């Protein structure tokens, strides 16, 4: 199993181009099940989650092609922007098996497209993961509102669309409320919106997730011929159409990857220029960075979702209070990285998790590196220390791992982050990216140097995003 060995203390300096968003790629790939025409996605990151989604889609009759120009980069070099073309050629399978769903929880986003186009879907219930319980009751409630019957059978959710006047199985537009205890649901919104595109009549989704990845999915569906208004706001209106066609879309850049690199620049007291940076989707995060004494400068340019910005720090970190919330609030996916940063602030910070209140497995590991963290319920009091010290630590989930890597970049001495397959699920060769910015980081396998994962490698089983 791969690990990262990091020698901390080097300020990161240089330029980083933000990749396409993982959390856009997965539901957009699943949307290819809604048509038999080709769907081309550009700037798809090369991640094990994307490869797992390809496997799942292939089982469901949707093949993915890479264009012939693509190549595997030499070890240590980032890969070129990636284009995938997906085409559904077999329209009958409806089962997303537990073996695949437990590998990648986001597999659940095939539910809406399968049900809408094939009239039936059987998807293994994903169960909990390292960041919490993660039920899918809101997905099921939303699809039931569109007329689907929902049964549980051997750990699978089995959904069937009602029969229309002509005998065909088709969902029916309805008013759907997607609010839950922790706000809306991102993949639940993706499922209901995708399903509603082929339903008979109008669907109104109230308390929809407002994440930029939902707006990106709506852009793709609209390019495929869907009629959608309001995506990116809490109220989405979808007028169902009879069929969808192919489309070609470049993914929105990954705001969480961007935020992680910004935090890396900040924690090391470096200076990094990010290009293709979705700064417009990161306001809650950059607001905290600024409060903590980090400078974030935007270069003037028209598109704030693909901006150039410079992140630097040359003064001591100040404490800040952070509460995670659904977008446009502070993203839970940057909570662990921010905790690592504030661990080195001069004073006390409070971090409260309102999206996944149990998402704190990194706390014990950061404590092993000298962070002073007091965890109580959904909050952690972070009492800033002068320095972190390198230690062997264990990654538990994707973003927790990123937090540990950031702590390692700033710590004195050597940090070994084990189980980095979690990171490979959601960051494209993070080790290579950080090394290109001057970090002393290397990937080892069983103590020996290892190349970054090659295209086509699969990560070991891990449940998460
Ligand atoms: N929830 C319910 N019932 C549901 C669905 C969700 O109670 O039916 C709860 C969840 O337990 C959680 C909250 O609602 O407390 C929000 O969950 P949401 O459904 O929005 O999460 P998700 O759609 O499963 C996506 C991202 C996560 C990200 C969350 C929140 C993808 C593939 N995953 O998950 O990304 O943390 O939204 O922003 O888009 C990551 O990238 O590391 C990651 C975990």
């Amino acid at each position: 199993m791969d690990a990262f060995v990091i020698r901390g203390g080097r300020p990161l300096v240089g330029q980083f181009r933000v990749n396409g968003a993982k959390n856009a790629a997965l539901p957009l790939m699943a949307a290819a099940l809604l048509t038999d025409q080709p769907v081309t996605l550009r700037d798809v990151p090369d991640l094990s989650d994307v490869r797992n989604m390809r496997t799942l889609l292939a089982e469901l009759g949707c093949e993915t092609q890479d264009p012939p120009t693509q190549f595997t980069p030499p070890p240590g070099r980032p890969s070129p922007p990636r284009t995938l073309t997906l085409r559904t050629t077999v329209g009958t399978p409806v089962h997303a098996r537990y073996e695949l769903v437990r590998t990648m929880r986001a597999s659940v986003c095939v539910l809406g497209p399968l049900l809408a186009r094939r009239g039936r879907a059987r998807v293994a219930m994903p169960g909990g993961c390292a960041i919490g319980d993660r039920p899918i009751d809101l997905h099921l409630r939303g699809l039931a509102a569109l007329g689907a019957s929902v049964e549980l059978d051997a750990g699978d959710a089995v959904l069937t669309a009602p029969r229309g006047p002509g005998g065909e199985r088709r969902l029916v537009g309805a008013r759907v409320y997607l609010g839950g205890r922790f706000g809306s649901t991102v993949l639940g919104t993706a499922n209901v919106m995708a399903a509603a595109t082929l339903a008979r009549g109008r669907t109104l989704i109230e308390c929809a997730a407002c994440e930029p990845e939902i707006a990106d999915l709506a852009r793709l569906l609209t390019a495929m011929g869907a009629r959608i208004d309001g995506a990116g706001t809490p109220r989405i209106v979808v007028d169902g159409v009879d069929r969808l066609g192919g489309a070609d879309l470049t993914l929105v850049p990954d705001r969480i990857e961007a935020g992680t690199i910004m935090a890396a620049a900040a924690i090391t007291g470096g200076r990094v220029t990010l290009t293709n940076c979705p700064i417009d989707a990161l306001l809650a995060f950059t607001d905290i960075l600024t409060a903590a004494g980090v400078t974030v400068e935007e270069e003037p340019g028209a598109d704030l979702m693909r901006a150039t910005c410079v992140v630097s720090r040359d003064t001591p970190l100040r404490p800040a209070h952070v509460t995670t919330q659904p977008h446009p609030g502070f993203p839970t996916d940057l909570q662990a990285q921010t905790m690592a940063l504030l661990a080195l602030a001069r004073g006390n910070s409070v971090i409260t998790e309102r999206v996944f209140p149990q998402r704190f497995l990194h706390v014990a590991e950061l404590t092993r590196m000298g962070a002073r963290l007091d965890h109580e319920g959904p909050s952690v009091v972070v009492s800033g220390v002068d320095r972190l010290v390198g230690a062997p630590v264990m990654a538990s989930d994707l973003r927790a791992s990123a937090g540990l890597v950031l702590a390692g970049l700033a710590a004195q001495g050597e940090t070994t982050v084990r189980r980095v397959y979690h990171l490979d699920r959601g960051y494209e060769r993070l080790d290579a990216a950080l090394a290109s910015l001057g970090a002393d980081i290397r990937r080892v396998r069983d103590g020996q140097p290892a190349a970054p994962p090659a295209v086509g490698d699969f990560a070991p089983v891990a449940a998460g995003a």
Side-chain angles (χ1 to χ4, degrees):
M1 227 174 255
D2 288 8
F4 287 172
V5 178
I6 306 166
R7 292 200 69 84
R10 290 199 188 180
L12 298 196
V13 178
Q15 188 159 322
F16 176 80
R17 179 188 180 278
V18 180
N19 288 295
K22 165 183 85 84
N23 288 347
L26 303 174
L28 268 69
M29 291 172 74
L33 291 167
L34 288 163
T35 177
D36 56 10
Q37 297 301 303
V39 172
T40 297
L41 301 176
R42 298 179 190 276
D43 212 3
V44 180
D46 181 28
L47 306 171
S48 54
D49 267 9
V50 167
R51 295 193 283 274
N52 288 335
M53 182 58 96
R54 287 174 66 151
T55 306
L56 171 60
L57 290 176
E59 284 203 3
L60 296 172
C62 175
E63 291 297 335
T64 312
Q65 293 164 343
D66 301 282
T69 52
Q70 294 200 354
F71 61 94
T72 304
R77 298 285 302 280
S79 60
R82 202 154 291 270
T83 299
L84 300 180
T85 296
L86 301 102
R87 185 160 193 167
T88 299
T89 50
V90 182
T92 42
V94 292
H95 191 188
R97 294 180 299 118
Y98 181 57
E99 289 66 32
L100 289 173
V101 175
R102 70 190 272 266
T103 306
M104 184 184 60
R105 199 189 172 284
S107 309
V108 74
C109 62
V110 300
L111 186 55
L114 282 178
L115 181 64
R117 183 106 194 288
R118 300 182 185 176
R120 212 169 124 81
R122 182 180 190 109
V123 175
M125 300 277 278
C129 75
I131 67 176
D133 297 340
R134 307 192 72 181
I136 58 164
D137 56 311
L138 297 170
H139 302 232
L140 300 181
R141 193 146 33 96
L143 295 168
L146 301 184
S149 67
V150 180
E151 288 167 53
L152 288 185
D153 180 37
D156 296 340
V158 183
L159 280 77
T160 311
R163 284 206 190 277
E168 81 291 0
R169 292 206 177 274
R170 191 168 177 189
L171 295 168
V172 185
R175 295 162 72 87
V176 180
Y177 180 70
L178 282 185
R181 270 197 305 157
F182 304 106
S184 188
T185 160
V186 178
L187 290 179
T189 302
N191 264 329
V192 175
M193 183 170 74
T197 59
L198 290 177
R200 201 174 325 115
R202 169 169 287 198
T203 297
L204 183 147
I205 307 173
E206 192 71 273
C207 203
C210 302
E211 271 67 5
E213 294 77 20
I214 293 295
D216 218 32
L217 175 60
R219 260 192 295 279
L220 177 72
L221 295 169
T222 304
M224 291 165 71
R227 292 171 56 203
I228 302 175
D229 261 340
T233 77
R235 174 176 277 205
I236 301 177
V237 179
V238 185
D239 285 303
V241 296
D242 288 340
R243 68 185 56 81
L244 296 173
D248 186 326
L249 192 95
T250 301
L251 297 190
V252 70
D254 195 316
R255 62 199 163 96
I256 306 303
E257 184 189 46
T260 303
I261 297 293
M262 288 178 171
I267 201 168
T268 60
R271 182 181 177 85
V272 174
T273 301
L274 292 96
T275 61
N276 199 40
C277 178
I279 191 90
D280 206 33
L282 277 165
L283 205 53
F285 177 66
T286 54
D287 200 48
I288 292 292
L289 283 186
T290 309
V294 179
T295 306
V296 182
E297 296 158 288
E298 271 166 50
E299 288 190 359
D303 188 352
L304 289 178
M305 284 302 279
R306 296 182 188 280
T308 298
C309 61
V310 183
V311 178
S312 60
R313 181 177 66 84
D314 46 24
T315 55
L317 283 163
R318 295 192 291 263
H321 287 359
V322 177
T323 301
T324 68
Q325 284 168 335
H327 191 77
F330 190 97
T332 172
D333 292 342
L334 286 170
Q335 182 254 111
Q337 301 88 317
T338 306
M339 189 178 294
L341 183 69
L342 294 177
L344 287 166
R346 289 195 174 167
N348 298 341
S349 306
V350 180
I351 298 183
T352 302
E353 179 55 76
R354 294 259 180 251
V355 179
F356 292 113
Q358 302 163 46
R359 193 178 201 174
F360 285 122
L361 285 180
H362 43 284
V363 166
E365 300 300 301
L366 287 172
T367 305
R368 299 190 64 245
M369 299 179 69
R372 283 184 53 209
L373 306 172
D374 197 0
H375 179 191
E376 183 74 49
S379 297
V380 173
V381 176
V382 183
S383 308
V385 292
D386 290 339
R387 63 189 185 112
L388 294 172
V389 284
V393 288
M394 189 79 87
S396 54
D397 75 84
L398 169 55
R399 310 303 174 185
S401 318
L404 298 178
V405 169
L406 295 194
L409 293 175
Q412 280 182 359
E414 189 170 281
T415 297
T416 304
V417 182
R418 295 183 206 281
R419 297 195 177 175
V420 296
Y421 61 82
H422 289 295
L423 271 165
D424 293 332
R425 291 186 37 237
Y427 290 95
E428 184 170 311
R429 300 178 182 87
L430 185 64
D431 46 334
L434 294 172
S436 76
L437 295 170
D440 184 345
I441 180 169
R442 64 202 157 84
R443 183 182 286 260
V444 297
R445 185 169 301 155
D446 304 324
Q448 303 300 314
V455 174
D457 275 2
F458 282 81
V461 169

